[in-house]
Amino acid sequence: MASVRDLSLLPKAHLHLHFTGSMRSTTLLELADKYGVHLPDALTGGEPPKLRATDERGWFRFQRLYDIARSCLRSPEDIQRLVREAAEEDVRDGSGWLEIQVDPTSYAPHLGGLIPAMEVILDAVDAASRETGLGMRVLVAANRMKHPLEARTLARLAVRYADRGVVGFGLSNDERRGMARDFDRAFAIARDGGLLAAPHGGELTGPASVRDCLDDLSASRIGHGVRAAEDPGLLRRLAERGVTCEVCPASNVALGVYEKPEDVPLRKLFDAGVPMALGADDPLLFGSRLAAQYELARRHQDFTDAELAELARQSVRASAAPADVRDKLLAGVDAWLAG
Ligand SMILES: [Zn+2]
């Protein structure tokens, strides 16, 4: 047994975690009970649901489960609880910095509109950060199933709250719908406002979707991006530009993007020099959190502790964390490896 270091003690940054998707399954059960929401068996079994998102029907099923879970978040107290628990889980997994991703539009109807929803979310992040000591920021994510004008509204909102904890702008949902360039104006607004551009790409569709994120949205990070592995030229480009891929291996396997943990091209990206930040995506639906992603790299892809430490450093470097937090986390990574 060469590897004995505890991966939950390896300091790291968590850059790919969705809001509702971060919920504890026990919390979902309690909230569903509180509001009389009937949960489908797939969300009550204690086991993550069987999903397959490689076709539109499968993705629709995944999205429907996500929507049901989201419908259980109705009051500011629910939002505060969700964020606090997400922070607690992250701390337990060795995270020293969390960037949580949210489309406030989805929570607006219960919280009195888009701006009140944004305020509730940012206050909750502030409070959770103070209570747990975990540095936290927010990425506002537009939904690519909706009209690009809505994305522009969200980008303006995100910029307006840049001094309250919003650090980036994302784009999520089914990559097979719409073109990245439909959202170029929204991303220009976000970038001009000083936010980092971190759209999803290269998950459900191939390398072309990653190229679109680079060419049309000037992405500085890519949500997933794993399908870039199919294009050596693109891997070189990501490596040269230092564009970090927020890789979520357990999510990829749960959604059938790859058959087995061994098939997720972590090794290929790593060896090509593409920086990665491992993330959990939606622990509620995929059944594993942050440290488990590093565990997967160790167990199924033979990442050594030195390599796992390098992955952790890459996550920290790609984060929006201020210099003092980065330095502390990077020193912690060295200490973990030396220990
Ligand atoms: Zn995602």
Side-chain angles (χ1 to χ4, degrees):
M1 200 56 200
S3 299
V4 289
R5 292 181 187 86
D6 184 345
L7 286 168
S8 67
L9 299 177
L10 170 63
K12 43 185 117 44
H14 196 182
L15 310 184
H16 200 105
L17 181 69
H18 294 276
F19 205 72
T20 293
S22 74
M23 205 186 323
R24 288 178 184 156
S25 41
T26 47
T27 298
L28 175 62
L29 296 181
E30 283 183 42
L31 292 178
D33 192 47
K34 171 174 156 189
Y35 294 119
V37 172
H38 175 74
L39 295 176
D41 294 345
L43 290 174
T44 58
E47 286 275 298
K50 299 267 177 292
L51 296 162
R52 188 158 192 92
T54 46
D55 56 54
E56 292 204 26
R57 258 186 61 210
W59 180 262
F60 179 77
R61 180 161 178 268
F62 161 69
Q63 207 58 51
R64 200 178 61 92
L65 292 176
Y66 196 92
D67 290 344
I68 294 168
R70 185 168 46 208
S71 76
C72 296
L73 291 164
R74 299 188 184 180
S75 73
E77 293 72 32
D78 302 338
I79 301 286
Q80 286 152 13
R81 177 178 179 181
L82 173 101
V83 176
R84 190 186 60 248
E85 292 178 353
E88 287 167 1
E89 294 288 352
D90 246 55
V91 167
R92 194 169 301 160
D93 274 17
S95 170
W97 183 261
L98 170 60
E99 295 174 15
I100 195 162
Q101 194 161 146
V102 65
D103 175 359
T105 324
S106 320
Y107 306 91
H110 287 298
L111 295 172
L114 199 50
I115 288 174
M118 201 67 215
E119 299 268 350
V120 166
I121 290 164
L122 292 173
D123 285 348
V125 165
D126 252 3
S129 186
R130 271 195 317 269
E131 283 164 31
T132 61
L134 177 67
M136 283 181 81
R137 295 292 187 272
V138 170
L139 298 179
V140 170
N143 184 344
R144 68 187 293 155
M145 310 285 272
K146 295 193 181 160
H147 196 278
L149 279 175
E150 274 195 46
R152 278 190 232 174
T153 303
L154 273 180
R156 282 188 207 99
L157 184 75
V159 168
R160 183 171 154 186
Y161 284 96
D163 61 351
R164 289 270 313 274
V166 177
V167 291
F169 190 67
L171 182 65
S172 59
N173 216 317
D174 196 340
E175 284 165 23
R176 289 162 293 218
R177 300 291 197 85
M179 304 294 289
R181 69 168 171 272
D182 296 339
F183 300 91
D184 57 353
R185 297 275 300 277
F187 274 84
I189 292 166
R191 289 193 318 270
D192 289 348
L195 302 181
L196 64 90
H200 282 60
E203 178 195 15
L204 305 169
T205 55
S209 65
V210 177
R211 272 196 299 273
D212 288 349
C213 289
L214 296 176
D215 295 337
D216 300 332
L217 308 179
S218 303
S220 51
R221 293 197 326 228
I222 308 280
H224 295 286
V226 274
R227 303 284 298 277
E230 295 157 30
D231 181 340
L234 180 58
L235 286 179
R236 273 196 300 280
R237 196 173 159 200
L238 290 166
E240 277 161 19
R241 285 211 208 168
V243 173
T244 296
C245 291
E246 303 157 5
V247 178
C248 307
S251 159
N252 290 161
V253 176
L255 288 175
V257 175
Y258 299 103
E259 208 59 52
K260 305 186 296 295
E262 296 88 308
D263 301 336
V264 183
L266 293 177
R267 181 57 72 184
K268 199 157 191 180
L269 267 70
F270 190 78
D271 289 348
V274 177
M276 281 183 277
L278 300 190
D281 210 6
D282 299 301
L284 175 67
L285 295 167
F286 306 139
S288 69
R289 291 191 180 268
L290 183 59
Q293 314 307 315
Y294 288 80
E295 232 21 284
L296 183 151
R298 172 187 268 172
R299 184 169 333 147
H300 296 281
Q301 308 229 355
D302 297 323
F303 274 68
T304 65
D305 285 0
E307 290 170 333
L308 293 162
E310 183 52 26
L311 283 178
R313 286 187 201 104
Q314 291 176 356
S315 74
V316 172
R317 288 187 205 118
S319 76
D324 58 326
V325 175
R326 282 171 189 240
D327 291 348
K328 191 174 143 244
L329 290 174
L330 292 172
V333 172
D334 292 342
W336 178 84
L337 194 57

